[in-house]
Amino acid sequence: MRMYDLIMKKRNGGVLSDEEIRFMVKGFTAGEIPDYQMSAMMMAVYFQGMNEDETLSLTMEMAKSGDMLDLSDIKGIKTDKHSTGGVGDKTSLALAPMVASLGVPVAKMSGRGLGHTGGTIDKLESFKGFSTEISEEQFKENVNRIGIAIMGQTADLAPADKKLYALRDVTATVDNMSLIASSIMSKKLAAGADAIVLDVKTGSGAFMKKEEDSFALAREMVRIGTGAGRSTMAIVSDMDQPLGFAVGNALEVREAIDTLNGRGPKDFEELCLTLGSYMTLAAGKASSVEEARQMLVSCIADGRAVNKLAEFVEAQGGDKDMVYHPERLPKAPIIEEIQSPCDGYVQRIVCDEIGICSLILGGGRETKESSIDLSVGLVLHKKVGDAVRKGESLATIHANDREKLEAAKSRFLAAYTINDMPVTKKPLIKGIVNK
Ligand code: URA
């Protein structure tokens, strides 16, 4: 078999067989198929697409390209949750302790931020001493002992995807449904959880900008997960504006803590309750979504959820006192308001631009090697549909450098459209996809 022939076949609209996909993934992972040939293949897939069988085959081959974690030593139905990425998406920080406090085992693999989207690992490192570099044994022991552990993606987990994603990132081939679905699901399958709950984002801050594409991606991933024998469901949620108010690592941690104390933004709380209900149900800890939701509301009200976060932070080397005293989280030296230039209603926020503001402030990575400042970012005060008066604060900006602050501020103002037409607020949850 020759990679050249496979590229030609896909370029001309052909369908790759299981055997051909296996050859391609194995050869690329082993370094026998060079980046330039794989780049050409990715572009051919981008234009010609992959059918359901090809997508499933690509997913399984990438999942099997490294270690498949065996979590059978952990008691109960292990759950994992994955978001396709967005701005202000601090969901795992609140959701994981919420469900773990109900006895749902959370064995989660997380990533760092790249580009305009943030990553759970960076956010968690706002807790002094916290580390996700724990061994597989420690990971399993923590899930068994306290019901929750989060680790970074190891080099041995779905290495084919790791290599391929890096290539897609620089060849404009990320935003293809089959490639995103196989990339995410290969990692989820290799990470070993029994039940997978997916949060597929839609809108200007998401990979999938159009709702119908997001639903198609959700359906594809549910089909793959279910086909691989894992209980899988997805929700499609809005990312046409940031989630909650805070964007930036330590600021988001603070907002997640507020949410666990029952004082979080309503949209963010709603998302956590919805995803959490499906995780609780999938783990067999409730008999209906309604019952699960009620259980989650209770664990926030009586403090179990916030105490679980403290326990989790401590178990991974972090300072748990910061959970109870979030004023001790990293703080930026310059804090200023961004004032509205006019009266009116917020019509639109170009969501990925707000993520870029945080990036400019130093809160995100331009490249995988960049170092970040956990303290910087923005806290929005006005979201789509809100009325605003001239001079009123649209957001508080947290910066470590005046030049960066000015650059982020002008970009922030350009991302907001304010005029005098009242706006109907759109629902956060667009729909649920299950088998
Ligand atoms: N996240 C991933 O892990 N892979 C993609 O292709 C897109 C988002």
Side-chain angles (χ1 to χ4, degrees):
M1 211 176 284
R2 292 194 319 151
M3 185 63 179
Y4 177 90
D5 298 327
L6 304 190
I7 297 168
M8 176 95 90
K9 184 173 182 185
K10 186 44 80 182
R11 190 201 69 181
N12 294 341
V15 174
L16 301 175
S17 68
D18 289 350
E19 203 192 345
E20 287 167 337
I21 292 175
R22 187 169 315 123
F23 167 83
M24 174 176 97
V25 173
K26 276 202 161 142
F28 180 61
T29 312
E32 289 152 10
I33 292 174
D35 283 1
Y36 53 82
Q37 281 193 310
M38 200 56 163
S39 304
M41 174 60 91
M42 290 298 105
M43 195 54 87
V45 169
Y46 184 88
F47 283 113
Q48 297 291 357
M50 275 186 152
N51 69 19
E52 290 187 351
D53 291 341
E54 290 174 292
T55 309
L56 183 60
S57 183
L58 180 61
T59 309
M60 298 316 291
E61 287 307 324
M62 291 204 295
K64 288 188 294 189
S65 66
D67 294 344
M68 300 281 280
L69 270 190
D70 176 3
L71 302 184
S72 56
D73 300 350
I74 303 175
K75 297 182 284 286
I77 299 170
K78 280 73 67 183
T79 60
D80 193 356
K81 165 258 163 192
H82 186 87
S83 154
T84 58
V87 181
D89 187 2
K90 71 279 301 172
T91 309
S92 296
L93 304 178
L95 174 66
M98 274 164 70
V99 296
S101 78
L102 298 179
V104 175
V106 181
K108 189 164 164 37
M109 208 60 68
S110 287
R112 292 189 183 276
L114 187 66
H116 76 276
T117 63
T120 301
I121 296 184
D122 295 328
K123 292 171 200 181
L124 282 168
E125 285 176 354
S126 301
F127 293 109
K128 198 160 144 256
F130 188 95
S131 173
T132 49
E133 282 174 29
I134 53 175
S135 66
E136 204 177 307
E137 286 65 41
Q138 185 74 59
F139 179 75
K140 292 181 191 174
E141 192 199 310
N142 287 9
V143 183
N144 265 332
R145 188 166 55 84
I146 63 165
I148 175 172
I150 296 184
M151 70 192 285
Q153 186 186 344
T154 64
D156 300 330
L157 194 108
D161 171 65
K162 207 168 187 162
K163 225 177 145 193
L164 196 55
Y165 191 76
L167 199 63
R168 288 167 54 217
D169 207 24
V170 292
T171 54
T173 51
V174 169
D175 52 340
N176 169 274
M177 199 191 65
S178 293
L179 297 179
I180 296 179
S182 55
S183 165
I184 292 175
M185 291 310 290
S186 63
K187 288 181 287 239
K188 294 290 109 180
L189 297 180
D194 308 302
I196 302 164
V197 170
L198 302 160
D199 179 12
V200 179
K201 302 293 190 188
T202 191
S204 61
F207 281 116
M208 293 293 172
K209 312 282 180 209
K210 291 197 222 133
E211 219 169 291
E212 71 254 36
D213 292 343
S214 305
F215 272 98
L217 176 62
R219 281 194 295 271
E220 189 64 23
M221 292 199 289
V222 169
R223 189 184 66 82
I224 294 171
T226 310
R230 314 289 172 93
S231 153
T232 311
M233 65 82 60
I235 73 163
V236 175
S237 71
D238 183 63
M239 193 34 77
D240 223 13
Q241 60 177 338
L243 180 63
F245 299 118
V247 180
N249 297 287
L251 295 168
E252 292 186 41
V253 170
R254 207 174 170 136
E255 191 164 82
I257 294 171
D258 284 346
T259 305
L260 291 174
N261 283 316
R263 296 189 294 269
K266 286 292 153 229
D267 61 343
F268 179 54
E269 185 186 79
E270 177 56 31
L271 185 69
C272 292
L273 289 174
T274 306
L275 289 165
S277 300
Y278 285 99
M279 286 171 85
T280 307
L281 192 65
K285 299 286 177 190
S287 51
S288 69
V289 181
E290 295 71 30
E291 187 195 355
R293 189 181 175 98
Q294 216 34 60
M295 288 161 72
L296 290 161
V297 169
S298 305
C299 77
I300 292 176
D302 62 20
R304 268 176 296 158
V306 77
N307 289 339
K308 186 55 76 178
L309 174 65
E311 207 178 349
F312 157 62
V313 167
E314 188 176 43
Q316 295 197 207
D319 179 356
K320 76 167 184 185
D321 189 52
M322 291 167 104
V323 173
Y324 301 110
H325 296 280
E327 69 281 1
R328 291 190 48 224
L329 287 163
K331 225 182 274 164
I334 312 172
I335 299 177
E336 274 189 24
E337 302 305 314
I338 304 180
Q339 291 165 337
S340 174
C342 57
D343 289 347
Y345 296 91
V346 180
Q347 296 291 321
R348 184 162 179 252
I349 302 173
V350 185
C351 187
D352 46 5
E353 282 293 303
I354 306 300
I356 291 170
C357 291
S358 176
L359 189 80
I360 292 171
L361 291 167
R365 284 189 186 77
E366 301 275 1
T367 69
K368 287 201 170 72
E369 286 72 36
S370 318
S371 62
I372 60 172
D373 183 340
L374 296 169
S375 71
V376 300
L378 303 118
V379 179
L380 312 190
H381 303 304
K382 298 289 175 186
K383 293 185 61 176
V384 174
D386 289 343
V388 59
R389 305 300 303 260
K390 181 175 177 183
E392 207 180 344
S393 178
L394 289 172
T396 306
I397 188 161
H398 296 243
N400 60 17
D401 173 292
R402 195 140 278 288
E403 214 174 294
K404 289 182 194 162
L405 181 145
E406 292 306 331
K409 196 167 165 179
S410 55
R411 200 125 179 187
F412 179 90
L413 286 168
Y416 264 64
T417 305
I418 300 171
N419 61 33
D420 50 15
M421 298 268 291
V423 183
T424 314
K425 296 190 184 192
K426 288 187 284 181
L428 175 78
I429 315 278
K430 308 286 185 187
I432 309 278
V433 177
N434 51 37
K435 76 175 170 138

